[in-house]
Amino acid sequence: MSVRRADTGYAPPARVRGVALITVLLILAILTAMVGRLSFSNQVWVSQVGNGAAFLQSAQATRAVQDRVGIILALDDNEYDSFQDDWAQPLPPLPVGPASVQGYLEDMQARINLNSLLDGKGVPDPEAVQRFKRLLRILELNPDIAGAVIDWMDGDGDVSGPWGAEDGYYLGRNPPYLAANRRFRDAAELRLVRGVNRAVWHRLKPFVSALPQADTAVNINTASPEVLASVVPNRGSPRRALAEAVQWAGKARQTPFESVREFYDATGLDYDDDEPPTGLGVRSKFFLAHTRVETGNHSRSVATLYQRAAGRSRVLGHWREFE
């Protein structure tokens, strides 16, 4: 005889059923979150891999362009440098593998070298200081900033002029710091110098450099009117000097000067054979290559400083450019 289990009619209370439902929903939520996190992590990983590959591709493209720039500079055997040389022509967009590269070269001796304000003995060079002061006046900036620039570099504790500044001034800043007491390694250090705020720096930036060699000559073929007006003395007011320099720069672009003497003759300046002008030239050693690499959604801008000597060129340093 078969035995049938009696139907007790038992059903779990509603509270128990509710707890079970909530537990199921919590488990589903946790699983959904885990799946979402894994999906997000996978997307991040894919993005990182893609960005890493793009970075490597842009770095390789940048090195290829840097090598090409070095060759262009090394092959330039002219006795003078001007905007008509091969190095001065902008580099059109070129495909380098999956990347596109473009850029241009800039003559850094078209600017006033801040490190030339001190001579080889670390003493202020009067002529170089006057040129920098003229540049400041032409740019409608305070010429006393020159004293603060000198104090930033020299090794003594003496204040130069009304705006000179040594450690005592900089220790009172927030945060405090000390004067460098060495030559500039980068022109952007000017932002630390007394009197050079953000607006002053951006006004000066296109016209100054910080080259590793202090006794560099300004190239009259590539210098801007502002720099030309600064390096040629006794031309009257800043306004008049700049107006003349605009004409000189225009002549240099059309027909480059092969010597400083030719520049003086063509512009009606007095050339003293017994004491020829110093700090001027027509041949440059230092160039800055501005390179921009586009790889898909990734872009990279790099500035590379070259020194050319004896038919060869070498890289002195490079850094990321921020726009």
Side-chain angles (χ1 to χ4, degrees):
M1 183 178 78
S2 63
V3 179
R4 186 175 61 181
R5 186 183 300 270
D7 185 1
T8 62
Y10 172 80
R15 181 177 61 83
V16 176
R17 294 197 300 271
V19 170
L21 179 60
I22 292 174
T23 302
V24 171
L25 291 176
L26 285 176
I27 293 173
L28 288 175
I30 293 172
L31 291 174
T32 302
M34 292 177 61
V35 171
R37 182 175 181 81
L38 289 173
S39 177
F40 176 75
S41 299
N42 185 61
Q43 291 175 2
V44 170
W45 180 79
V46 171
S47 177
Q48 289 176 339
V49 170
N51 290 337
F55 179 82
L56 290 176
Q57 291 169 355
S58 65
Q60 292 173 350
T62 300
R63 283 194 294 270
V65 173
Q66 289 173 348
D67 291 341
R68 178 176 178 179
V69 168
I71 294 173
I72 292 174
L73 288 174
L75 292 177
D76 180 17
D77 57 357
N78 291 341
E79 295 298 323
Y80 56 89
D81 289 299
S82 73
F83 288 116
Q84 297 185 4
D85 291 347
D86 289 341
W87 64 260
Q89 311 312 311
L91 184 68
L94 295 175
V96 180
S100 175
V101 187
Q102 58 184 328
Y104 64 95
L105 265 170
E106 180 184 2
D107 181 1
M108 293 306 284
Q109 288 182 230
R111 305 183 180 197
I112 287 184
N113 183 6
L114 295 171
N115 290 330
S116 68
L117 270 62
L118 298 184
D119 62 18
K121 298 180 181 180
V123 177
D125 183 320
E127 186 173 0
V129 172
Q130 287 304 314
R131 288 175 173 175
F132 184 54
K133 285 185 175 181
R134 283 198 295 272
L135 175 66
L136 291 168
R137 291 191 183 96
I138 288 169
L139 299 178
E140 299 181 347
L141 300 174
N142 191 335
D144 290 332
I145 291 175
V149 172
I150 292 171
D151 286 341
W152 183 260
M153 291 190 291
D154 65 21
D156 61 37
D158 300 330
V159 175
S160 303
W163 270 43
E166 291 288 353
D167 288 344
Y169 173 81
Y170 296 113
L171 286 173
R173 305 290 290 171
N174 185 21
Y177 55 95
L178 299 174
N181 292 332
R182 55 161 174 74
R183 300 184 192 273
F184 286 84
R185 293 174 181 168
D186 189 325
E189 283 184 38
L190 273 177
R191 283 289 283 115
L192 299 173
V193 175
R194 180 182 184 182
V196 183
N197 57 25
R198 184 180 183 86
V200 171
W201 162 239
H202 282 287
R203 187 78 175 110
L204 273 171
K205 183 179 178 181
F207 308 109
V208 295
S209 65
L211 300 178
Q213 184 176 322
D215 58 341
T216 54
V218 172
N219 189 329
I220 54 181
N221 284 325
T222 56
S224 65
E226 289 83 355
V227 172
L228 278 178
S230 304
V231 298
V232 178
N234 305 322
R235 305 309 300 174
S237 66
R239 185 185 297 271
R240 177 188 172 187
L242 184 57
E244 286 186 320
V246 169
Q247 299 179 2
W248 301 338
K251 290 182 178 180
R253 279 185 174 273
Q254 293 178 0
T255 306
F257 299 105
E258 298 185 20
S259 67
V260 176
R261 177 63 182 267
E262 183 179 319
F263 167 73
Y264 268 63
D265 291 343
T267 54
L269 299 171
D270 295 328
Y271 189 93
D272 190 344
D273 289 310
D274 296 329
E275 295 184 10
T278 59
L280 301 178
V282 295
R283 182 72 168 164
S284 300
K285 298 178 181 178
F286 297 95
F287 299 84
L288 190 68
H290 302 267
T291 307
R292 185 175 184 83
V293 181
E294 301 280 351
T295 307
N297 295 325
H298 180 80
S299 64
R300 185 169 183 246
S301 296
V302 178
T304 306
L305 182 65
Y306 292 82
Q307 180 179 11
R308 182 182 61 188
R312 301 180 62 183
S313 64
R314 64 189 182 99
V315 173
L316 297 182
H318 51 85
W319 54 91
R320 182 77 177 268
E321 284 192 319
F322 297 95
E323 299 179 353

